[in-house]
Amino acid sequence: MLIKIPRTCDSIESQVTPESIYLSRRSLLGGSVALLAAGAMPQWASAAEASRYADVEAGNAPAWFTDKLSQTQWQAMTVAGEAITPFKDATHYNNFYEFGTDKGDPAANAGSLKTEPWSVVIDGEVGKPGRYALEDFIKPYALQERIYRMRCVEAWSMVIPWLGFPLADLLKQVEPTSKARYIRFETLKDPQTMPGQRSDFALIDWPYVEGLRLDEAMNPLAILAVGMYGRELPHQNGAPLRLVVPWKYGFKGGKSIVRISLTTEQPKTTWQQIAPGEYGFYANVNPTVDHPRWTQARERRLPSGLFSPNVRDTLMFNGYGDEVASLYQGMDLRKDY
Ligand code: MTE
């Protein structure tokens, strides 16, 4: 059977926005990645930081989110010297097949997503399983702003200021049993509000599922995000809860998560099931392992256009090698792509 995989990296963003938002103020951080200890936050890091994203569209934040903002640790991690992608690009050039396969479809169609009430189930190999209302699920954690590169397998990239908390903190709380080796993320299946799930042409066996090895999930870089650009997540970016794993291709970041399961077996993940020769379970950003149909050595940093393609070299582990390379010691990343 011939499977036609949508390949969207050849679509060109016509709109070119100047790279106007820089992190020059943060140049004191140095290096490609900088993590500020909680106690070392400078004076200017206050809730007022949210408003510095000049192009951000106001949302309609739930009360629990607004309450969290005042204790947020702004700029807990950043990418020195790289421009933050304009909000407009980050929210109008999306992959969220539940709302259509074109890059503009999620922004156009995700208004139908109902994010309240929302609950998250924790189950499988955990000492404390349960179903939690989102606000209770989030309650124990202070938000941190993590400005991360995001590299899509389709060879485009962005720099996004996420608001979330370490996945490791959740895992410690729910107490994985000694048999837990993987973590499976299941996202919302609701054909009534998700037109892509009603389509007869959908390749995906819904719900969209992603997974990590437990030690990957415990890495401090892996977060669960509830916001971006100083506000709650827009629907098209995976409201109200999504996974962000910056050293992996973007498809690992499941959107609109409803169930988190600890498992003994490696979960069957969506893209790996659709095309195992093209998309692996690990999906680490790796410029030396090409996709069978295009190179992974370079990427278009959005905004990118015909006269200003903004192409740059892709970095091993998306530039996060110091933090994550040890997770893969002894593995053949050509085989485990
Ligand atoms: N999660 C769900 N539920 N459905 C999807 O189609 N697409 C993935 C990932 N998470 C997807 C998803 C892919 S392919 C990418 S590249 C990122 O979301 C895109 O995130 P963004 O649109 O916020 O940039």
Side-chain angles (χ1 to χ4, degrees):
M1 193 177 81
L2 181 71
I3 304 174
K4 186 172 179 293
I5 307 297
R7 188 208 149 191
T8 38
C9 60
D10 43 9
S11 54
I12 288 177
E13 184 80 341
S14 54
Q15 181 195 14
V16 181
T17 313
E19 290 192 358
S20 54
I21 310 164
Y22 282 89
L23 297 174
S24 53
R25 209 152 51 117
R26 319 303 187 215
S27 56
L28 65 128
L29 297 173
S32 63
V33 171
L35 183 59
L36 295 183
M41 287 308 293
Q43 288 296 310
W44 41 257
S46 69
E49 291 285 298
S51 61
R52 75 197 167 84
Y53 298 110
D55 60 344
V56 80
E57 269 168 44
N60 188 15
W64 63 261
F65 181 86
T66 313
D67 291 349
K68 290 259 169 214
L69 272 189
S70 59
Q71 292 125 45
T72 292
Q73 187 188 347
W74 297 96
Q75 300 264 330
M77 190 180 284
T78 190
V79 185
E82 292 182 40
I84 291 178
T85 303
F87 180 78
K88 181 90 178 165
D89 295 274
T91 54
H92 288 76
Y93 192 90
N94 298 105
N95 282 333
F96 200 171
Y97 289 98
E98 286 86 335
F99 296 103
T101 53
D102 286 345
K103 290 288 181 278
D105 286 346
N109 302 329
S112 56
L113 176 68
K114 296 218 175 345
T115 57
E116 282 182 280
W118 193 275
S119 62
V120 182
V121 172
I122 307 283
D123 63 4
E125 293 294 338
V126 280
K128 292 184 182 165
R131 175 187 286 273
Y132 302 88
L134 184 64
E135 49 272 41
D136 298 332
F137 179 79
I138 304 295
K139 203 171 271 170
Y141 316 107
L143 296 185
Q144 295 178 21
E145 186 177 52
R146 299 280 186 100
I147 301 174
Y148 283 157
R149 295 180 200 94
M150 162 155 147
R151 169 60 157 83
C152 178
V153 75
E154 298 165 337
W156 51 264
S157 65
M158 303 196 196
V159 175
I160 311 265
W162 302 104
L163 286 169
F165 59 92
L167 178 55
D169 290 356
L170 168 76
L171 290 172
K172 283 174 208 148
Q173 188 118 339
V174 301
E175 298 174 2
T177 71
S178 58
K179 288 196 222 146
R181 291 189 53 221
Y182 295 92
I183 175 163
R184 176 184 184 274
F185 300 88
E186 185 175 308
T187 72
L188 183 67
K189 181 175 179 184
D190 185 12
Q192 280 202 328
T193 59
M194 297 179 135
Q197 293 183 341
R198 299 196 294 269
S199 163
D200 292 337
F201 302 105
L203 292 163
I204 295 175
D205 182 16
W206 309 106
Y208 189 99
V209 169
E210 257 311 329
L212 295 171
R213 223 171 50 193
L214 192 54
D215 59 341
E216 296 180 306
M218 292 296 289
N219 185 279
L221 289 186
I223 59 167
L224 286 170
V226 292
M228 60 195 271
Y229 295 82
R231 51 158 282 176
E232 80 281 9
L233 282 176
H235 286 188
Q236 62 267 35
N237 293 90
L241 182 73
R242 76 174 282 172
L243 178 66
V244 178
V245 202
W247 71 97
K248 292 178 178 283
Y249 291 121
F251 69 84
K252 295 298 290 181
K255 295 178 168 182
S256 305
I257 292 169
V258 293
R259 178 184 293 262
I260 299 176
S261 309
L262 279 287
T263 65
T264 51
E265 303 291 329
Q266 184 174 300
K268 293 187 175 23
T269 54
T270 291
W271 284 103
Q272 193 192 17
Q273 277 189 293
I274 294 172
E278 303 193 13
Y279 309 103
F281 176 79
Y282 284 95
N284 292 314
V285 175
N286 188 340
T288 69
V289 177
D290 285 342
H291 185 280
R293 291 184 278 134
W294 59 85
T295 176
Q296 294 294 24
R298 285 173 294 286
E299 65 200 53
R300 286 185 303 119
R301 174 65 54 86
L302 298 186
S304 138
L306 202 52
F307 301 112
S308 176
N310 208 8
V311 172
R312 58 172 61 217
D313 288 344
T314 289
L315 304 172
M316 186 66 202
F317 297 118
N318 208 18
Y320 298 101
D322 287 351
E323 290 82 1
V324 302
S326 61
L327 291 168
Y328 308 104
Q329 241 165 23
M331 282 174 65
D332 179 355
L333 297 182
R334 302 201 141 268
K335 228 171 90 231
D336 284 317
Y337 50 88

